[in-house]
Amino acid sequence: MLLRLFARNSLIDVETQQWLFACADWAIKHFDQDYFTHQSRLILPTNTFYPGRVASVEEMATAIYDNTLNYCGLTQWPFTLKAFHHKSQVELPKVRVEGKYRGIRAKVSVVDAMPSVEIGYAYAQINQPQDMIATFVQQFASVLVMSANVLPPGGKAMLPQAIDVLSCFMGFGVIFANTAYQFKGGCGSCFNPRANRQVALPENDMLYALAIYCVVKNDPKSDVISHLKKHLRSPFKKMYNEVQALQKEQKKFLPTIA
């Protein structure tokens, strides 16, 4: 009844809304709830989170990679940074996780012949750092999901979308919302598809996932709005207020971090 009531004025449909709540719960419970509760934080596209100056694409990629890996809590994982050339995906080795998935207590090892998990980036992303950040996080989240071997709500067919939700709940929802839609321009001459991240969760759905994250983590919307693209600010406010109202009325629809 409550969800139907909100659906009348909601910016997303009821089915999507329910899936996002369920997927958020899946992301929290299966990928180190303790780390999410006590250490995960909202990462913003600012110099505070990504400081410093670089002299080359390689230095930029390394600096962004190191910061992003740290914010994800995955410094204990056997990742290796590598530039993409003509392929957009890399083969993933089998990984064994003992205990925690994230943080300094994580114990992770590669169990086949490959020495590490390669994380790639495209040179074309030098002018689109948010896309580079999101590309790294998507790869990290993909490895986590494959290692956990726990399907999200909706099963295998919803894995790409669930990986984007997990990325949001690793703290990168603002960056993912900002990069969910790329304007191709009137003639497309300025559009470079290799510079953009792969998008699975539509812009509106990612924005709603971000609203859920912020309400669950008690992050005020004022911390987010100025860092979103202008056209996202008004719908985010509405989504945040809706999720907050749902939390007050029916907590069972929201993930718990107790």
Side-chain angles (χ1 to χ4, degrees):
M1 178 65 72
L2 184 67
L3 286 178
R4 290 178 182 175
L5 176 64
F6 274 97
R8 294 175 186 173
N9 298 310
S10 179
L11 296 175
I12 64 172
D13 62 85
V14 174
E15 184 178 358
T16 300
Q17 184 186 55
Q18 291 177 319
W19 182 83
L20 286 169
F21 286 140
C23 196
D25 197 56
W26 166 84
I28 293 171
K29 289 181 177 178
H30 293 291
F31 301 97
D32 207 327
Q33 182 169 336
D34 183 70
Y35 187 92
F36 173 84
T37 303
H38 301 290
Q39 298 187 60
S40 182
R41 57 177 174 158
L42 188 66
I43 307 303
L44 301 173
T46 67
N47 288 332
T48 299
F49 288 91
Y50 290 93
R53 294 180 177 273
V54 294
S56 66
V57 178
E58 289 79 8
E59 286 185 16
M60 173 182 170
T62 299
I64 289 178
Y65 168 85
D66 288 342
N67 280 300
T68 303
L69 187 70
N70 181 53
Y71 297 145
C72 288
L74 299 175
T75 56
Q76 303 300 104
W77 283 67
F79 291 129
T80 301
L81 181 62
K82 187 175 182 180
F84 283 143
H85 291 289
H86 299 293
K87 60 180 182 179
S88 60
Q89 294 182 344
V90 293
E91 182 181 354
L92 296 177
K94 294 181 180 179
V95 175
R96 178 186 294 118
V97 181
E98 300 177 24
K100 299 292 183 179
Y101 272 82
R102 297 196 281 163
I104 59 174
R105 291 185 291 169
K107 294 182 179 180
V108 187
S109 58
V110 178
V111 297
D112 61 16
M114 298 178 68
S116 64
V117 181
E118 292 183 355
I119 301 298
Y121 67 95
Y123 281 101
Q125 292 178 329
I126 186 171
N127 294 318
Q128 297 179 199
Q130 289 195 69
D131 285 272
M132 182 178 283
I133 294 167
T135 297
F136 287 148
V137 178
Q138 276 184 320
Q139 292 176 80
F140 295 148
S142 297
V143 174
L144 285 176
V145 171
M146 291 182 66
S147 302
N149 198 29
V150 180
L151 290 176
K156 189 175 182 179
M158 297 301 294
L159 271 173
Q161 294 85 349
I163 287 169
D164 278 6
V165 173
L166 175 57
S167 299
C168 175
F169 276 77
M170 291 168 75
F172 292 84
V174 171
I175 292 171
F176 268 69
N178 283 339
T179 58
Y181 173 77
Q182 286 87 21
F183 178 62
K184 297 184 180 181
C187 64
S189 60
C190 297
F191 177 71
N192 185 349
R194 295 190 65 194
N196 302 322
R197 74 172 177 89
Q198 297 297 311
V199 177
L201 198 67
E203 183 181 69
N204 223 34
D205 298 356
M206 176 55 70
L207 203 61
Y208 203 92
L210 173 60
I212 296 174
Y213 172 91
C214 290
V215 171
V216 172
K217 290 287 286 183
N218 293 314
D219 289 332
K221 59 188 173 187
S222 58
D223 289 353
V224 175
I225 292 170
S226 64
H227 300 285
L228 289 171
K229 290 181 177 179
K230 288 185 178 180
H231 74 279
L232 299 176
R233 295 172 185 177
S234 179
F236 175 76
K237 290 178 185 178
K238 295 177 181 178
M239 292 175 179
Y240 185 98
N241 291 339
E242 179 175 307
V243 173
Q244 196 171 52
L246 283 171
Q247 183 191 45
K248 293 177 180 178
E249 294 293 333
Q250 296 263 357
K251 289 188 177 181
K252 69 179 182 179
F253 290 120
L254 291 171
T256 58
I257 58 173

